[in-house]
Amino acid sequence: MADLVIKNVRQNAGASVNVAIVDGKIASVGDHVANAREMIDGGGAIMIAGLVEAHTHLDKTLLGMPWYRNDVGPRLIDKIENERVQKRALGIDPVRQSARQVVLSISKGTTHIRSHVDVDTECGLAGIEGVMATRERYKGAIDVEIVAFPQSGMLVRPGTVELMKAALEMGAEVVGGLDPSSMDRDPKGHLDVVFGLAERFGRPVDIHLHEPGELGAFSVELIIERTKSLSMQGKVTISHAFCLGMPDQDYVARLIDDLAAAQVHIMTSGPASRPVPPVKRLQEAGIVVCAGTDGMRDTWGPYGNADMLERAMLVGLRNNFRRDDEVERALDTCTFGGARVMDLQGYGLDVGCKADFVLVSGEILAEAIVTRAPRQLVVKNGRVVARDGKALIEAE
Ligand SMILES: [Zn+2]
């Protein structure tokens, strides 16, 4: 007896099948209709693997709070310093705010999130504690992985390294970093700390790299060197990597070869305002590319809605993807790419995989992506967690 059978669904827009779930896993896929405690008619909807939000900032969204009037200056440091002040002034509660975004993500079909969470000498570990509380509260409905993220720099703010250690001891799984040259103005020192923590705690690394052009490329080279010397192939992600969108194509080609050889992953949000890593070239070189909303509705900017199907569309638009197979590549960054970066076990739609999936309306995948098709049903660990675009669990 199956726990749940979803009848008449089309995996990745293929032929109609019935999917049976037992103990939170996909037990069978085919014509046969198993006896089940619960039966749901999929009505010919497309079934895709659960969406993976591989880069966001759950601790500091302003979702559900009064509109924040953004008068912030244009530089990165303006946004960072303003945010530190506003966290206190606006009363941004990491527990409440992360819960709101998590519930929104569940409603949109996201089953896994990697969240960078601020660690600095002003907020201390409040963000980490808040997101850990939310993770505990919603476990079963969504999986959340936490990156200890030194948003305000590490070496420029004494005491931050100790807080990073404490965050990793407390439950953050990944070591974060930020612009080694332009933030700490000490690329070697910054990366020595990041990779030193990774080695000491045996954790993966995910570094925000906004640095443009050749400065960013220099940081990429340093990251590759450390990845290889510590045998961390497959465990290092560079988020944003705007420098891979720089005009010097010969230099970019060399970097892509070196990133592929070191198995360093790349995360893109497909931003409209910056050069972006070329997703297709990276994938064709064998580099795993994942995608994320990044910060949404926060003091940095008003945009974002946690919809990873929309993110796939934005990645597609930004990469000039027009062919169906290209648009599907963009979706891959929001599903399997993210799953590989987060090293998710049992991810996918095959028999034996965890029953984490989404039913979306539409004829084919490309159509579902460009229309940001309604999410009919979201299943996590074999249980229905959202229906018709609404999560069955609420925030406050
Ligand atoms: Zn970010």
Side-chain angles (χ1 to χ4, degrees):
M1 170 87 69
D3 298 316
L4 173 65
V5 165
I6 318 267
K7 285 199 307 185
N8 187 21
V9 285
R10 296 178 302 121
Q11 293 193 329
N12 297 316
S16 175
V17 290
N18 307 311
V19 177
I21 294 152
V22 178
D23 292 337
K25 289 186 177 167
I26 296 177
S28 70
V29 176
D31 297 336
H32 174 68
V33 182
N35 286 328
R37 292 187 183 84
E38 187 184 0
M39 188 88 69
I40 294 174
D41 187 352
I46 300 172
M47 176 183 279
I48 57 173
L51 294 162
V52 181
E53 164 76 86
H55 184 122
T56 189
H57 295 264
L58 291 175
D59 54 318
K60 49 194 192 179
T61 178
L62 301 175
L63 201 62
M65 292 176 68
W67 187 261
Y68 170 69
R69 182 177 172 80
N70 189 322
D71 295 314
V72 187
R75 299 170 307 165
L76 187 68
I77 195 70
D78 297 330
K79 298 180 181 77
I80 291 171
E81 287 178 355
N82 174 65
E83 183 177 62
R84 269 208 318 277
V85 173
Q86 295 299 340
K87 270 188 185 170
R88 199 158 297 189
L90 298 173
I92 303 174
D93 174 0
V95 182
R96 179 190 65 212
Q97 293 310 112
S98 58
R100 286 177 178 170
Q101 188 175 333
V102 155
V103 168
L104 183 63
S105 289
I106 292 169
S107 76
K108 308 251 182 218
T110 293
T111 53
H112 299 81
I113 295 177
R114 171 178 278 189
S115 177
H116 296 250
V117 180
D118 287 5
V119 172
D120 68 47
T121 49
E122 263 166 62
C123 75
L125 300 169
I128 300 280
E129 287 164 358
V131 177
M132 282 180 66
T134 292
R135 157 160 82 186
E136 183 63 23
R137 181 172 166 196
Y138 294 96
K139 74 174 179 200
I142 193 161
D143 290 328
V144 177
E145 181 181 65
I146 296 172
V147 185
F149 175 47
Q151 172 75 83
S152 296
M154 282 198 293
L155 308 179
V156 286
R157 293 177 73 87
T160 307
V161 176
E162 288 68 29
L163 287 166
M164 288 285 288
K165 279 184 205 152
L168 293 163
E169 279 162 2
M170 197 189 248
E173 289 94 349
V174 184
V175 185
L178 171 70
D179 293 333
S181 297
S182 56
M183 194 67 204
D184 275 346
R185 308 188 79 81
D186 179 358
K188 181 182 179 301
H190 183 91
L191 293 174
D192 282 349
V193 172
V194 168
F195 281 87
L197 289 171
E199 192 179 21
R200 176 171 161 189
F201 288 90
R203 305 292 174 79
V205 163
D206 190 335
I207 299 178
H208 277 66
L209 187 62
H210 310 90
E211 292 166 358
E214 293 192 8
L215 181 62
F218 173 59
S219 293
V220 169
E221 289 169 352
L222 295 181
I223 291 168
I224 290 170
E225 275 172 24
R226 281 166 174 73
T227 302
K228 289 199 293 199
S229 67
L230 292 175
S231 298
M232 283 188 65
Q233 289 91 340
K235 296 192 174 358
V236 175
T237 303
I238 302 178
S239 283
H240 300 305
F242 299 138
C243 59
L244 295 177
M246 70 182 177
D248 186 341
Q249 290 299 303
D250 291 340
Y251 198 172
V252 170
R254 280 205 307 280
L255 287 175
I256 289 176
D257 287 347
D258 292 346
L259 285 165
Q263 296 169 44
V264 173
H265 312 315
I266 300 294
M267 188 296 302
T268 185
S269 63
S273 55
R274 296 296 197 103
V276 291
V279 170
K280 187 174 175 181
R281 271 179 76 191
L282 295 175
Q283 289 174 333
E284 284 176 345
I287 295 168
V288 179
V289 184
C290 63
T293 300
D294 202 10
M296 62 160 279
R297 193 76 77 74
D298 56 17
T299 63
W300 291 61
Y303 302 106
N305 59 4
D307 185 347
M308 292 307 291
L309 208 52
E310 179 168 298
R311 187 57 48 187
M313 183 189 77
L314 294 170
V315 168
L317 275 171
R318 191 65 185 81
N319 282 272
N320 194 23
F321 288 168
R322 292 161 187 267
R323 294 163 51 100
D324 284 24
D325 59 351
E326 291 175 337
V327 178
E328 289 172 18
R329 281 179 181 280
L331 179 61
D332 186 81
T333 67
C334 301
T335 52
F336 287 86
R340 285 179 67 187
V341 166
M342 290 175 63
D343 197 21
L344 302 181
Q345 305 300 311
Y347 180 85
L349 296 176
D350 298 332
V351 172
C353 289
K354 287 189 182 156
D356 297 346
F357 54 76
V358 194
L359 301 193
V360 298
S361 320
E363 185 185 340
I364 57 163
L365 282 174
E367 182 199 7
I369 295 159
V370 302
T371 59
R372 291 144 288 157
R375 298 335 105 84
Q376 297 179 14
L377 196 77
V378 183
V379 171
K380 172 71 183 166
N381 293 322
R383 288 176 35 231
V384 176
V385 293
R387 245 181 233 278
D388 299 324
K390 285 206 144 176
L392 304 186
I393 314 158
E394 294 190 346
E396 285 152 44

